[in-house]
Amino acid sequence: MVLVLAGCASAPGLGAAERGDYPSLEKDLTPDYASGKLTNDEAARVARAVASYEIAKAAGDEGRTRVHELAACAQELDGPLSDRMKTRDAIGAEAAMARLDSGELSTGDARDYVGDKDDAWRAIGARGLVEDDDVAAREKAFVDPSPLVRRSAFRAAAQAADTHDVAALVEAARLDPDDLARTNAVRAMARIGGKNVVDSLRDVWTHADEPLKDDIALAWSAPQSYDVGGREELRILIAQEKGAGVIAAAGSVAREHAQDGEMRLSALALLSRVIERGTERERLEALAISPLVPELMDSVHHASIDTGDSSVRIAALGRLLEKDHERAAAITMLEAFAGQHDENASRARLILAEAGDTRIQAWIEADLHAASPRDRIGAATALAAAGRSARGALLLADADPEVRTRVSCTLLAAARMHR
């Protein structure tokens, strides 16, 4: 422990970060940053201090947003989140939910808040209703006036996977006025599975919007449901060749049920047509979810040279990077996009960074100074993906609090990935 604390104390700018003195932080970081001496570990220590300060000073709606942005690195920030949770306000509840989702707060402890008068804290309690004898309490939470509570209750139902919840989940999937609550209800049904769920989801489908139909298609494809009616529902859906849920259905069958020869061929044929001739959104979805199998390679190649749609080309080239014999040519074409100054460049740079292409680092670092906060965050993300997270460290002192929090979480997550 002494060695860890000594190492933390040696990180440049750590004191300024702990005080939230961002002008001094930038000044303290610059010498080591400019000389290339700042290490990824040092940057992560400073990132933790920045994130901890942002959690401690969080206030109002903006503060709640800042804490929510740090949920992805909640394990590294459990101490500050635990401290903030002691204040019983909306931000404290956001901290508690982050700890719950990271596994640092147990569902047993979460249950202490199930009867709280505050919606946000009652949602924490509802998320803890995962035991066998919680059926009645979950059903009560399913119809709570607050959508926050209902969303959490449906997530608890997914974890509990109790068949006794199905009837209430069906009603919620059909009638709940909150989009995310309906989505969570369907996902809970997917985890439960079975013939009753398959048949019930057919009824829900009739009035579902497009995103919910995607979730229903995935539910039919789940192992618990595929062989008890889900396969037939997906067969009919794929045969229609168009409409909501079709691409999700085909992708799921191609990935998860490759042993089902007849269904696999139908799914791959549909994905091939969509990749080549669908709308931009459809083609991007199909490229993202399709397995990169021999039957689809011609279609992916076709998309990678389609000069009419740069976003589709970049997505297709990104998939080709997964094949060793395609990698060199795909990198060359992606570098051409990465060197441009349009909306496609950032996406190409991130893909190349994730692929380990270090030649584009200078282009990425140029975006650290972009006017758009989104572009600055994207640059730090790309550098972290390339294993060079310290090169984004100056953004920890950015004037925009969203940039500071998102970049601090990115650097902390990168340190976790590279341990």
Side-chain angles (χ1 to χ4, degrees):
M1 178 63 71
V2 173
L3 290 176
V4 172
L5 291 175
C8 290
S10 68
L14 191 61
E18 291 171 342
R19 298 189 304 272
D21 183 354
Y22 296 122
S24 294
L25 173 58
E26 182 175 16
K27 181 179 178 181
D28 291 346
L29 285 175
T30 296
D32 281 4
Y33 178 87
S35 64
K37 294 180 180 178
L38 187 68
T39 68
N40 290 347
D41 284 344
E42 289 171 334
R45 292 172 198 147
V46 177
R48 188 182 188 282
V50 169
S52 299
Y53 178 81
E54 294 292 335
I55 291 169
K57 79 175 189 69
D61 291 341
E62 183 176 342
R64 185 175 182 179
T65 299
R66 298 288 84 79
V67 173
H68 181 75
E69 289 165 352
L70 293 166
C73 47
Q75 287 183 332
E76 290 79 4
L77 297 170
D78 189 60
L81 289 169
S82 180
D83 289 341
R84 188 62 183 83
M85 179 183 162
K86 294 173 184 177
T87 301
R88 293 287 295 276
D89 59 5
I91 299 172
E94 195 70 55
M97 187 63 79
R99 296 190 67 222
L100 182 56
D101 287 341
S102 71
E104 298 297 331
L105 178 67
S106 71
T107 54
D109 288 339
R111 295 163 66 92
D112 292 344
Y113 306 104
V114 73
D116 203 280
K117 294 181 180 179
D118 185 286
D119 293 353
W121 284 94
R122 198 162 64 258
I124 304 298
R127 182 68 180 80
L129 297 173
V130 298
E131 303 298 331
D132 291 342
D133 57 356
D134 285 334
V135 174
R138 278 197 301 272
E139 290 193 4
K140 180 180 178 181
F142 290 167
V143 294
D144 191 278
S146 169
L148 293 177
V149 177
R150 300 197 303 275
R151 294 171 192 171
S152 287
F154 299 138
R155 292 183 64 195
Q159 185 173 340
D162 191 324
T163 57
H164 293 96
D165 288 333
V166 171
L169 290 169
V170 171
E171 286 302 296
R174 291 178 56 245
L175 302 173
D176 196 293
D178 181 73
D179 291 345
L180 186 53
R182 292 196 304 276
T183 294
N184 287 356
V186 168
R187 291 177 180 177
M189 293 173 70
R191 290 289 300 274
I192 297 168
K195 182 74 164 62
N196 186 26
V197 164
V198 170
D199 294 342
S200 297
L201 286 174
R202 190 188 311 119
D203 295 333
V204 175
W205 177 279
T206 305
H207 302 290
D209 57 17
E210 186 167 348
L212 197 62
K213 286 183 176 179
D214 282 349
D215 283 308
I216 293 172
L218 295 176
W220 282 330
S221 182
Q224 305 94 311
S225 297
Y226 188 75
D227 291 326
V228 290
R231 181 186 188 277
E232 179 62 16
E233 298 297 338
L234 292 169
R235 186 191 67 78
I236 295 171
L237 184 57
I238 292 172
Q240 294 173 354
E241 295 198 0
K242 59 183 178 179
V246 171
I247 298 172
S252 184
V253 168
R255 292 190 316 272
E256 308 299 333
H257 303 286
Q259 76 286 352
D260 189 340
E262 178 187 354
M263 285 289 288
R264 177 180 181 273
L265 290 176
S266 296
L268 291 177
L270 185 143
L271 291 170
S272 177
R273 289 192 293 273
V274 172
I275 290 171
E276 292 190 24
R277 300 190 295 273
T279 65
E280 178 184 10
R281 185 193 64 77
E282 291 170 343
R283 298 174 79 189
L284 290 173
E285 180 183 357
L287 283 165
I289 67 174
S290 295
L292 207 58
V293 294
E295 294 91 336
L296 292 180
M297 290 304 296
D298 284 347
S299 298
V300 177
H301 277 122
H302 179 273
S304 74
I305 59 173
D306 183 352
T307 57
D309 197 326
S310 295
S311 61
V312 170
R313 283 193 69 191
I314 291 170
L317 290 167
R319 293 305 309 271
L320 291 177
L321 289 175
E322 299 172 28
K323 297 292 186 180
D324 290 342
H325 64 285
E326 304 277 4
R327 186 178 175 87
I331 284 177
T332 298
M333 286 187 277
L334 281 167
E335 285 179 344
F337 282 107
Q340 297 174 7
H341 301 284
D342 59 22
E343 59 185 13
N344 292 307
S346 293
R347 177 59 182 159
R349 293 171 189 175
L350 178 58
I351 291 173
L352 288 168
E354 291 173 341
D357 182 4
T358 59
R359 289 177 291 184
I360 61 158
Q361 184 171 335
W363 291 332
I364 297 174
E365 290 195 22
D367 280 347
L368 294 171
H369 309 286
S372 165
R374 178 180 178 182
D375 288 343
R376 298 200 298 278
I377 295 167
T381 303
L383 288 166
R388 288 164 166 75
S389 54
R391 298 307 298 168
L394 289 184
L395 292 181
L396 295 171
D398 197 275
D400 189 322
E402 179 184 3
V403 175
R404 294 195 300 267
T405 52
R406 287 191 178 275
V407 171
S408 65
C409 198
T410 295
L411 269 58
L412 286 168
R416 182 200 315 149
M417 294 289 291
H418 291 96
R419 280 176 193 154

